[in-house]
Amino acid sequence: MKILITGGAGFIGSHVVRLFVNKYPHYQIYNLDKLTYAGNLKNLIDVEDKPNYSFIKADIVDETHIFEVFNEHKFDAVIHLAAESHVDRSITNPNEFIMTNVIGTANLLNASRHIWGDKMDGKLFYHISTDEVYGTLGDTGMFTETTPYDPHSPYSASKASSDHIVRAYHDTYGLPTIISNCSNNYGPNQFPEKLIPLFIHNIRNKKSLPVYGKGENVRDWLYVEDHARAIDVVFHSNKLGETYNIGGHNEWKNIDLINKLCDLVDDALGQPTGSSKELITFVKDRAGHDLRYAIDATKIKNELDWEPQETVETGFRKTVQWYLDNQEWLDDVTSGDYQGYYEQQYDKR
Ligand code: NAD
Ligand code: TYD
């Protein structure tokens, strides 16, 4: 089986590529990535020489190139993770999100239809999406697979749009598709623009920790390798046309999570417990900031027997240690454009 994984040089994609390359030596894994600021082939150094792995540098917005790649390799399945993924960047530059997340997804769907024609048996287009498409929850309740879409940021609106297009291709053309919507991921190799790696990086460098608003927003955190295992399970489920919510049963108010991170980093660095909490700074809230996300993952548990393996204690501790042990990786990704991004994003707050 030839499997195309898009966005494989990014955070979640690199964990999915690693899992598939190592677990399924008889599959050919093609990682297609544009290598934006978020894509880093160093995330895959341990698998790059494996005989069942290849890398293709391509932009999913470039329709002609995407069709050439599909014509050449005739993939049997696509796991689509390539996306612009950071909400704050979508607020400053929404068009990039609309191009990659909406048009890019449509190009991949069209290319899949083109090479599969009427022979769709055994084929699969698996679209990886987010719980942010459902909008925001109040203090109670959880997102299920039937919660109506109500996105608020340009990022979540672009992901919602791509989900609708994927479903439309299933219903209209019979394209064999599956979608999963996951909660916030954390773990090694996440770009330090997202909350957890950003704050570990800032504590290490004694920089302020910019908490949006009052820090009362709630997110449901899942360890990235648990997400990769869920993607493996859903990919092999053959539940065409279905949607699965994936979540960690692990809700944290931002400020509580940040306090926990401060303790863990202080402990790992041998600093007095609580010392890094002095870096916490409350800054102007994010526009349209969703209050709470929480996933009801009953369907994937009951139908596919998946649940997270990592606990808060093991997952958060491992993650902190990974960033402290991989300073070179952090230095590498925070060189270049990062400084400019940081100033634009935080100096005005
Ligand atoms: P990421 O930003 O770390 O990685 C995205 C990857 O896509 C990068 O390697 C980048 O180079 C590539 N890419 C971007 N634009 C491209 C283009 N035009 N053509 C080809 N490649 C392109 O993102 P992530 O956090 O790993 O998220 C992966 C997927 O999972 C996304 O679809 C995202 O919406 C979804 N998701 C993420 C989370 C999360 O918490 N990070 C949660 C749920 C769902
Ligand atoms: P983030 O990691 O950007 O994920 P998402 O917005 O997709 O949930 O942010 C997680 C939460 O942390 C979110 O409520 C916004 C908040 N946050 C801050 O308070 N400060 C920051 O500097 C960042 C990046 C996020």
Side-chain angles (χ1 to χ4, degrees):
M1 172 148 50
K2 289 179 160 192
I3 304 175
L4 175 71
I5 300 182
T6 69
F11 167 48
I12 303 171
S14 62
H15 289 273
V16 175
V17 166
R18 176 173 302 103
L19 186 155
F20 273 73
V21 167
N22 289 332
K23 187 170 173 186
Y24 303 107
H26 55 294
Y27 293 170
Q28 278 302 322
I29 305 300
Y30 297 82
N31 168 18
L32 182 150
D33 201 296
K34 180 183 173 183
L35 300 181
T36 66
Y37 76 92
N40 184 353
L41 287 176
K42 288 194 178 150
N43 293 344
L44 290 165
I45 276 176
D46 55 320
V47 297
E48 68 185 10
D49 293 329
K50 300 260 166 131
N52 64 333
Y53 171 78
S54 343
F55 175 67
I56 302 166
K57 185 165 172 7
D59 181 346
I60 58 171
V61 176
D62 182 346
E63 185 184 14
T64 309
H65 191 192
I66 291 302
F67 269 70
E68 279 167 16
V69 169
F70 274 67
N71 278 326
E72 181 183 346
H73 296 289
K74 305 260 181 320
F75 306 112
D76 299 297
V78 177
I79 306 178
H80 175 35
L81 295 109
E84 286 294 335
S85 68
H86 190 41
V87 173
D88 291 325
R89 289 186 192 253
S90 83
I91 295 169
T92 3
N93 191 1
N95 273 24
E96 191 118 26
F97 285 68
I98 293 160
M99 292 308 292
T100 288
N101 299 358
V102 184
I103 306 297
T105 302
N107 286 341
L108 294 169
L109 289 164
N110 289 332
S112 302
R113 275 192 73 208
H114 168 72
I115 56 161
W116 295 339
D118 294 334
K119 298 192 188 68
M120 299 203 201
D121 239 26
K123 310 293 189 219
L124 178 64
F125 189 101
Y126 178 12
H127 179 62
I128 307 301
S129 193
T130 166
D131 60 355
E132 302 192 24
V133 298
Y134 298 122
T136 187
L137 293 162
D139 291 336
T140 57
M142 286 184 153
F143 298 133
T144 71
E145 288 79 359
T146 55
T147 301
Y149 278 28
D150 185 21
H152 297 123
S153 72
Y155 164 65
S156 54
S158 66
K159 291 296 291 187
S161 185
S162 64
D163 290 11
H164 287 316
I165 297 167
V166 171
R167 278 194 191 97
Y169 274 56
H170 173 266
D171 296 349
T172 307
Y173 307 115
L175 201 78
T177 63
I178 306 184
I179 301 177
S180 58
N181 297 81
C182 190
S183 62
N184 285 62
N185 284 215
Y186 71 96
N189 307 102
Q190 188 169 30
F191 194 79
E193 61 187 353
K194 306 272 169 47
L195 181 73
I196 291 183
L198 175 71
F199 278 33
I200 298 171
H201 181 60
N202 283 11
I203 295 173
R204 171 95 196 221
N205 293 296
K206 307 244 176 308
K207 285 178 74 172
S208 72
L209 305 177
V211 182
Y212 296 165
K214 295 186 179 141
E216 284 177 347
N217 306 67
V218 175
R219 298 292 182 265
D220 176 1
W221 294 94
L222 179 71
Y223 191 66
V224 62
E225 287 179 2
D226 276 326
H227 189 190
R229 280 194 312 103
I231 289 173
D232 178 19
V233 168
V234 171
F235 178 83
H236 290 98
S237 70
N238 204 26
K239 300 270 193 182
L240 303 181
E242 290 290 331
T243 298
Y244 290 94
N245 278 358
I246 303 171
H249 303 294
N250 185 24
E251 283 183 60
W252 285 78
K253 201 180 263 197
N254 287 344
I255 193 65
D256 296 338
L257 174 74
I258 290 158
N259 279 313
K260 169 98 186 158
L261 268 186
C262 287
D263 288 345
L264 287 172
V265 180
D266 287 342
D267 190 33
L269 291 174
Q271 301 176 168
T273 307
S275 56
S276 55
K277 287 181 188 159
E278 287 165 17
L279 299 169
I280 293 175
T281 315
F282 292 93
V283 300
K284 188 167 161 242
D285 207 355
R286 175 187 278 171
H289 196 174
D290 287 334
L291 177 67
R292 176 172 163 256
Y293 303 142
I295 283 277
D296 178 348
T298 310
K299 181 176 171 187
I300 188 169
K301 162 119 182 62
N302 288 350
E303 288 188 15
L304 306 180
D305 199 25
W306 173 90
E307 52 184 349
Q309 285 179 355
E310 223 51 75
T311 64
V312 173
E313 278 311 319
T314 59
F316 284 170
R317 209 171 273 281
K318 266 205 260 193
T319 301
V320 165
Q321 203 54 54
W322 189 88
Y323 287 96
L324 296 181
D325 289 346
N326 287 275
Q327 194 56 44
E328 207 183 304
W329 183 92
L330 272 170
D331 289 344
D332 197 44
V333 299
T334 53
S335 62
D337 295 344
Y338 185 80
Q339 215 44 48
Y341 161 76
Y342 201 86
E343 277 159 26
Q344 195 205 9
Q345 184 58 38
Y346 292 102
D347 284 4
K348 64 177 187 283
R349 285 192 133 96

